[in-house]
Amino acid sequence: MVDYTSSDNSVKIVQNDAISFLRNLPPDSIDLIVTDPAYSGMNNKLKLGKGRIVGKYSEKGEENAKWFTEFEDTEENYKLFLEECRRVLKKSTGHIYIMFDSFSLLTLAPVVRNYFDVKNIITWDKVNMGMGHYFRRRHEYILFATNGNNQHIRSRSFPDVWRFKRIHKAAYPTQKPVEVFQAMIYASASEGDTVCDPFVGSGSSIIAALKNKCKFIGCDISEKSIEVCSERADNFLLNNVDILQKKSSAVDGIVFWE
Ligand SMILES: C[S@@+](CC[C@H](N)C(=O)[O-])C[C@H]1O[C@@H](n2cnc3c(N)ncnc32)[C@H](O)[C@@H]1O
């Protein structure tokens, strides 16, 4: 196990499975969850067709056969995950943003209603097309929900379609633009809040939390992710430089938080 805590204690990341990591957190301790799980459903479905997303996906067990370990997204496992999210998230003020691909949106997203008040399905328009065997994928979904009803975001003037360019030639597989997480955090958190991402990947959500002057706690099952995140967080905290995303992904620099 490799763990990382920044010298100013604002960022903590551990190598662990998302559900066991959440089980170790105290109840009502997190202001905001922003997360992008590694769903297995989409890949397993594509494997049955002629598609594969990246690398030699179908040759399981081989070295480099998959990009990273996936979260077993059976409904049963997903319920355990959501139950823990609800337990750690502050009651009546906590918000949660969960990213979905088009497969998991139809299979797993409806389950979220049993745990949280679902308020929006946000569309992230990645501006440029990616892969796909029919219509090529240019967007992903972000479900926004609250832990208790009757809560607000920072403003009523934010749209539910966000345009941020996908990261081209990412250093980490499926690295998301920092701006996607900045939008979530800006809308739902205040300075000093604790933001949690239990599938932290390359750490884009860490940089977004720091830019919003929030504390961060998260985990990933992969040792590589913790190494990448530690270096990225250190560089940002010490030099104010994001080593994995040099340019803004906002189209024409337009964001709704400035
Ligand atoms: C889609 S990526 C996250 C990418 C991240 N949002 C970024 O911008 O870099 C999903 C991550 O989940 C991790 N993962 C897979 N199974 C996991 C599990 N059971 N618990 C925690 N992390 C897991 C993978 O190692 C991968 O880094």
Side-chain angles (χ1 to χ4, degrees):
M1 292 260 183
V2 271
D3 293 351
Y4 163 87
T5 304
S6 62
S7 52
D8 66 351
N9 279 318
S10 61
V11 178
K12 184 167 188 216
I13 321 159
V14 299
Q15 188 190 358
N16 202 348
D17 161 69
I19 298 175
S20 27
F21 159 77
L22 290 167
R23 280 192 178 132
N24 287 329
L25 296 182
D28 298 299
S29 58
I30 301 294
D31 296 287
L32 173 64
I33 295 177
V34 294
T35 200
D36 170 28
Y39 297 111
S40 61
M42 172 76 115
N43 275 348
N44 283 329
K45 183 172 158 41
L46 281 175
K47 199 163 55 110
L48 296 175
K50 55 182 175 169
R52 65 190 161 86
I53 297 181
V54 158
K56 294 184 278 178
Y57 180 81
S58 58
E59 293 159 47
K60 274 189 181 172
E62 278 190 11
E63 205 183 335
N64 300 327
K66 283 204 213 180
W67 6 344
F68 47 61
T69 313
E70 286 158 352
F71 175 63
E72 210 38 68
D73 58 11
T74 56
E75 193 172 315
E76 198 181 30
N77 213 28
Y78 201 60
K79 283 180 176 168
L80 294 177
F81 168 66
L82 292 174
E83 211 165 283
E84 285 309 312
C85 289
R86 183 171 61 186
R87 190 186 63 79
V88 300
L89 206 53
K90 289 186 180 165
K91 307 264 170 325
S92 70
T93 56
H95 289 184
I96 181 165
Y97 292 79
I98 311 175
M99 299 185 68
F100 287 96
D101 53 53
S102 51
F103 187 77
S104 55
L105 184 79
L106 296 178
T107 55
L108 297 176
V111 181
V112 180
R113 276 229 170 85
N114 300 332
Y115 295 84
F116 297 105
D117 284 299
V118 176
K119 303 295 188 196
N120 288 105
I121 305 280
I122 295 157
T123 302
W124 166 33
D125 175 358
K126 306 183 192 185
V127 184
N128 299 310
M129 284 190 296
M131 287 180 281
H133 296 288
Y134 298 96
F135 297 100
R136 286 174 57 188
R137 296 186 195 97
R138 210 184 87 173
H139 74 288
E140 281 185 35
Y141 303 98
I142 303 163
L143 183 149
F144 165 57
T146 60
N147 197 9
N149 210 344
N150 202 20
Q151 298 176 40
H152 299 290
I153 56 170
R154 187 184 289 255
S155 158
R156 287 191 184 175
S157 62
F158 302 153
D160 67 356
V161 177
W162 298 350
R163 294 189 81 210
F164 300 120
K165 287 181 211 151
R166 65 168 73 242
I167 304 282
H168 188 55
K169 295 193 175 146
Y172 189 90
T174 80
Q175 179 187 331
K176 303 298 184 296
V178 168
E179 287 77 9
V180 171
F181 292 106
Q182 257 186 289
M184 305 176 198
I185 298 171
Y186 181 77
S188 286
S190 307
E191 197 173 319
D193 277 0
T194 301
V195 175
C196 172
D197 182 353
F199 296 91
V200 69
S202 69
S204 297
S205 53
I206 303 175
I207 303 298
L210 293 174
K211 286 188 170 181
N212 278 282
K213 300 191 171 27
C214 290
K215 289 177 274 191
F216 182 91
I217 184 160
C219 81
D220 199 286
I221 207 154
S222 135
E223 187 174 341
K224 176 80 189 159
S225 154
I226 311 302
E227 279 169 21
V228 168
C229 288
S230 318
E231 205 188 335
R232 194 174 183 187
D234 274 342
N235 264 282
F236 191 79
L237 286 164
L238 297 174
N239 309 318
N240 205 22
V241 172
D242 179 359
I243 54 170
L244 292 196
Q245 189 187 326
K246 300 269 159 52
K247 286 193 302 196
S248 165
S249 68
V251 180
D252 300 325
I254 298 168
V255 292
F256 58 69
W257 55 86
E258 276 167 9

Coordinates of all heavy atoms in Angstrom, one line a residue, residues 37-73:
P37 N -16.1 6.6 -11.8 CA -15.7 5.2 -11.6 C -15.3 4.5 -12.8 O -15.7 4.9 -13.9 CB -17.0 4.6 -11.0 CG -17.9 5.7 -10.5 CD -17.5 6.9 -11.4
A38 N -14.5 3.5 -12.7 CA -14.0 2.6 -13.8 C -15.1 1.5 -14.0 O -14.9 0.4 -13.6 CB -12.7 2.1 -13.4
Y39 N -16.2 1.9 -14.6 CA -17.2 0.9 -14.8 C -16.8 -0.3 -15.7 O -16.1 -0.1 -16.7 CB -18.4 1.5 -15.5 CG -19.1 2.6 -14.7 CD1 -19.0 3.9 -15.1 CD2 -19.7 2.3 -13.5 CE1 -19.6 5.0 -14.4 CE2 -20.3 3.3 -12.8 CZ -20.2 4.6 -13.2 OH -20.8 5.7 -12.5
S40 N -17.1 -1.5 -15.3 CA -16.8 -2.6 -16.1 C -17.8 -3.0 -17.2 O -17.5 -3.6 -18.2 CB -16.6 -3.9 -15.2 OG -17.8 -4.2 -14.6
G41 N -19.0 -2.5 -17.0 CA -20.1 -2.9 -17.9 C -19.9 -2.6 -19.4 O -20.1 -3.4 -20.2
M42 N -19.5 -1.3 -19.7 CA -19.3 -0.9 -21.0 C -18.3 -1.8 -21.7 O -18.5 -2.2 -22.9 CB -18.9 0.6 -21.0 CG -18.5 1.1 -22.4 SD -19.9 1.4 -23.4 CE -19.8 3.2 -23.6
N43 N -17.1 -2.0 -21.1 CA -16.1 -2.8 -21.7 C -16.5 -4.2 -21.9 O -16.2 -4.8 -22.9 CB -14.8 -2.7 -20.8 CG -14.0 -1.5 -21.1 OD1 -14.2 -0.8 -22.1 ND2 -13.0 -1.2 -20.3
N44 N -17.2 -4.8 -20.9 CA -17.6 -6.2 -21.1 C -18.6 -6.3 -22.2 O -18.6 -7.2 -23.0 CB -18.3 -6.7 -19.8 CG -17.2 -7.0 -18.8 OD1 -16.1 -7.4 -19.2 ND2 -17.5 -6.8 -17.5
K45 N -19.5 -5.3 -22.4 CA -20.4 -5.3 -23.5 C -19.7 -5.2 -24.8 O -20.0 -5.9 -25.8 CB -21.4 -4.2 -23.3 CG -22.5 -4.2 -24.4 CD -23.6 -3.2 -24.1 CE -24.4 -2.8 -25.3 NZ -24.7 -3.9 -26.2
L46 N -18.8 -4.2 -24.9 CA -18.0 -4.1 -26.2 C -17.3 -5.3 -26.6 O -17.1 -5.6 -27.7 CB -17.1 -2.9 -26.0 CG -17.7 -1.5 -26.2 CD1 -16.7 -0.4 -25.9 CD2 -18.3 -1.3 -27.6
K47 N -16.8 -6.0 -25.5 CA -16.0 -7.2 -25.8 C -16.8 -8.3 -26.5 O -16.3 -9.1 -27.2 CB -15.5 -7.7 -24.4 CG -14.3 -8.7 -24.5 CD -13.6 -8.8 -23.2 CE -14.7 -9.2 -22.1 NZ -14.5 -10.5 -21.6
L48 N -18.1 -8.3 -26.2 CA -19.0 -9.2 -26.8 C -19.2 -8.9 -28.3 O -19.4 -9.8 -29.1 CB -20.3 -9.3 -26.1 CG -20.3 -9.8 -24.7 CD1 -21.7 -9.7 -24.1 CD2 -19.8 -11.2 -24.6
G49 N -19.1 -7.6 -28.6 CA -19.2 -7.2 -30.0 C -17.8 -7.3 -30.6 O -17.0 -8.0 -30.1
K50 N -17.6 -6.5 -31.7 CA -16.3 -6.6 -32.3 C -15.4 -5.5 -31.8 O -14.2 -5.4 -32.2 CB -16.3 -6.6 -33.8 CG -17.1 -5.5 -34.4 CD -17.1 -5.6 -35.9 CE -18.0 -4.4 -36.4 NZ -17.9 -4.3 -37.8
G51 N -15.9 -4.7 -30.8 CA -15.1 -3.6 -30.4 C -14.2 -3.9 -29.3 O -14.3 -4.8 -28.5
R52 N -13.2 -3.0 -29.1 CA -12.4 -3.0 -27.9 C -12.1 -1.5 -27.8 O -12.0 -0.8 -28.8 CB -11.2 -3.9 -28.0 CG -10.2 -3.5 -29.1 CD -9.2 -4.6 -29.2 NE -8.5 -4.4 -30.5 CZ -7.4 -3.7 -30.7 NH1 -7.0 -3.0 -29.7 NH2 -6.9 -3.5 -31.9
I53 N -11.9 -1.1 -26.5 CA -11.7 0.4 -26.4 C -10.2 0.8 -26.6 O -9.9 1.5 -27.5 CB -12.2 0.8 -25.0 CG1 -13.7 0.6 -24.9 CG2 -11.9 2.3 -24.8 CD1 -14.3 1.0 -23.7
V54 N -9.4 0.2 -25.9 CA -8.0 0.5 -25.9 C -7.2 -0.7 -25.6 O -7.6 -1.5 -24.7 CB -7.6 1.6 -24.9 CG1 -6.1 1.6 -24.6 CG2 -8.0 3.0 -25.4
G55 N -6.1 -1.0 -26.2 CA -5.2 -2.1 -25.9 C -5.9 -3.4 -26.1 O -6.9 -3.5 -26.7
K56 N -5.2 -4.4 -25.6 CA -5.7 -5.8 -25.9 C -6.7 -6.2 -24.8 O -6.5 -7.0 -23.9 CB -4.6 -6.8 -25.9 CG -3.7 -6.5 -27.1 CD -2.6 -7.5 -27.2 CE -1.4 -7.2 -26.3 NZ -0.4 -8.2 -26.2
Y57 N -7.9 -5.5 -24.8 CA -8.8 -5.7 -23.7 C -9.2 -7.1 -23.5 O -9.3 -7.6 -22.4 CB -10.0 -4.8 -23.9 CG -11.0 -5.0 -22.7 CD1 -10.7 -4.3 -21.6 CD2 -12.0 -5.9 -22.8 CE1 -11.5 -4.5 -20.5 CE2 -12.8 -6.1 -21.6 CZ -12.5 -5.4 -20.5 OH -13.3 -5.6 -19.4
S58 N -9.5 -7.9 -24.6 CA -10.1 -9.2 -24.4 C -9.1 -10.2 -23.9 O -9.5 -11.2 -23.4 CB -10.6 -9.7 -25.8 OG -9.5 -9.7 -26.7
E59 N -7.8 -9.9 -23.9 CA -6.8 -10.9 -23.4 C -6.6 -10.6 -22.0 O -5.5 -10.2 -21.6 CB -5.6 -10.8 -24.3 CG -5.8 -11.3 -25.7 CD -4.8 -10.8 -26.6 OE1 -3.6 -10.9 -26.3 OE2 -5.2 -10.3 -27.7
K60 N -7.6 -11.0 -21.2 CA -7.5 -10.7 -19.7 C -6.3 -11.5 -19.1 O -6.0 -12.6 -19.6 CB -8.7 -11.2 -19.0 CG -9.8 -10.1 -19.0 CD -10.9 -10.6 -18.1 CE -12.0 -9.5 -18.1 NZ -13.2 -10.0 -17.5
G61 N -5.7 -10.9 -18.1 CA -4.6 -11.7 -17.4 C -3.2 -11.4 -18.0 O -2.2 -11.5 -17.4
E62 N -3.2 -11.0 -19.3 CA -1.9 -10.6 -19.9 C -1.4 -9.3 -19.4 O -2.2 -8.4 -19.1 CB -2.0 -10.5 -21.4 CG -2.0 -11.8 -22.1 CD -1.9 -11.6 -23.6 OE1 -1.6 -10.4 -24.1 OE2 -2.1 -12.5 -24.4
E63 N -0.1 -9.2 -19.3 CA 0.4 -7.9 -18.9 C 0.0 -6.8 -19.9 O 0.0 -7.0 -21.1 CB 2.0 -8.0 -18.9 CG 2.5 -7.0 -17.9 CD 4.0 -7.0 -18.0 OE1 4.6 -8.0 -18.4 OE2 4.6 -6.0 -17.6
N64 N -0.4 -5.7 -19.3 CA -0.9 -4.5 -20.1 C -2.2 -4.9 -21.0 O -2.5 -4.2 -21.9 CB 0.1 -4.0 -21.1 CG 1.3 -3.5 -20.4 OD1 1.2 -3.0 -19.3 ND2 2.5 -3.7 -20.9
A65 N -2.9 -5.9 -20.6 CA -4.1 -6.3 -21.4 C -5.2 -5.3 -21.2 O -6.0 -5.1 -22.0 CB -4.5 -7.7 -21.0
K66 N -5.2 -4.7 -20.0 CA -6.3 -3.7 -19.7 C -5.6 -2.4 -19.3 O -4.5 -2.3 -18.9 CB -7.1 -4.1 -18.5 CG -8.1 -5.1 -18.8 CD -9.2 -5.0 -17.8 CE -9.8 -6.4 -17.4 NZ -10.8 -6.2 -16.4
W67 N -6.3 -1.3 -19.5 CA -5.7 0.0 -19.1 C -5.6 0.1 -17.6 O -4.6 0.6 -17.1 CB -6.4 1.2 -19.7 CG -7.7 1.0 -20.4 CD1 -8.2 -0.2 -20.9 CD2 -8.7 2.0 -20.7 NE1 -9.4 0.1 -21.5 CE2 -9.7 1.4 -21.4 CE3 -8.7 3.4 -20.4 CZ2 -10.8 2.1 -21.8 CZ3 -9.8 4.1 -20.9 CH2 -10.9 3.4 -21.5
F68 N -6.6 -0.3 -16.9 CA -6.6 -0.3 -15.4 C -7.6 -1.2 -14.9 O -8.5 -1.6 -15.6 CB -6.7 1.1 -14.8 CG -7.8 2.0 -15.4 CD1 -9.2 1.5 -15.3 CD2 -7.6 3.2 -16.0 CE1 -10.2 2.3 -15.8 CE2 -8.6 4.0 -16.5 CZ -9.9 3.5 -16.4
T69 N -7.5 -1.5 -13.6 CA -8.5 -2.4 -13.0 C -9.9 -1.7 -13.0 O -10.0 -0.5 -12.9 CB -8.2 -2.6 -11.5 OG1 -6.8 -2.9 -11.4 CG2 -9.0 -3.6 -10.8
E70 N -10.9 -2.5 -13.2 CA -12.3 -1.9 -13.3 C -13.0 -2.2 -12.0 O -12.8 -3.2 -11.4 CB -13.0 -2.4 -14.5 CG -12.5 -1.8 -15.7 CD -12.8 -2.6 -16.9 OE1 -13.3 -3.8 -16.7 OE2 -12.6 -2.2 -18.0
F71 N -13.9 -1.3 -11.7 CA -14.8 -1.5 -10.6 C -15.9 -2.5 -11.0 O -16.6 -2.2 -12.0 CB -15.4 -0.1 -10.2 CG -16.4 -0.1 -9.1 CD1 -16.1 -0.6 -7.9 CD2 -17.7 0.3 -9.4 CE1 -17.1 -0.5 -6.9 CE2 -18.7 0.3 -8.4 CZ -18.3 -0.1 -7.1
E72 N -16.1 -3.5 -10.3 CA -17.1 -4.5 -10.7 C -18.5 -3.9 -10.5 O -19.0 -3.8 -9.4 CB -16.9 -5.8 -9.8 CG -17.3 -7.1 -10.5 CD -17.0 -7.2 -12.0 OE1 -15.8 -7.2 -12.3 OE2 -17.9 -7.2 -12.8
D73 N -19.1 -3.5 -11.6 CA -20.3 -2.6 -11.4 C -21.6 -3.5 -11.5 O -22.5 -3.1 -12.3 CB -20.3 -1.4 -12.3 CG -20.2 -1.8 -13.8 OD1 -20.4 -3.0 -14.1 OD2 -20.0 -0.9 -14.6

